[in-house]
Amino acid sequence: FETSEIEAVVFPNPFAETATVSINLTEMSSLSVKVYSATGALVSTLVNDSRAAGTHQFSIRLTEKGVYFAEVMVNNNRQVLKLVAR
C-alpha cells in the first residue's frame, strides 16, 4: 500500500464514547474505514464502498476506554489515525 496525503481527521480526540471520522475525497474513490483495538482486533467497519467527491463523516461509538486505531483506505492509499477513548 502507498501512504500519502489523505484528508482524514478524528474529532473530538480524546473522546468519551462517540467520535467522528471525517474524510475529504477530491474525486470518486474506493473508501474503507476500519477501527481496530490496540491489540489489532477489528472492532468496527464504518464504510467499505465507493464514495463521490466531497466530505464524508462517520460516527464511531466506543464504550470501552482505551486506545484504538482507525485505518482509512482511499483507493490504494492508507492512513492510520490514533483514537483515545476515555
Side-chain angles (χ1 to χ4, degrees):
F1 298 112
E2 297 175 29
T3 300
S4 72
E5 299 271 334
I6 295 175
E7 293 181 50
V9 295
V10 175
F11 59 90
N13 196 18
F15 63 94
E17 291 193 20
T18 305
T20 300
V21 178
S22 180
I23 302 149
N24 185 48
L25 301 177
T26 57
E27 62 186 13
M28 180 75 149
S29 302
S30 171
L31 176 62
S32 169
V33 180
K34 296 180 180 181
V35 178
Y36 295 91
S37 69
T39 61
L42 178 64
V43 174
S44 178
T45 299
L46 303 181
V47 62
N48 188 20
D49 60 17
S50 293
R51 295 291 170 119
T55 301
H56 302 274
Q57 294 187 338
F58 307 95
S59 292
I60 177 78
R61 182 179 164 95
L62 298 168
T63 55
E64 291 188 31
K65 296 177 182 178
V67 175
Y68 296 85
F69 297 93
E71 178 189 57
V72 178
M73 295 286 296
V74 177
N75 298 324
N76 288 323
N77 298 311
R78 177 178 183 255
Q79 179 177 349
V80 177
L81 305 169
K82 183 178 179 180
L83 309 163
V84 179
R86 57 178 174 173

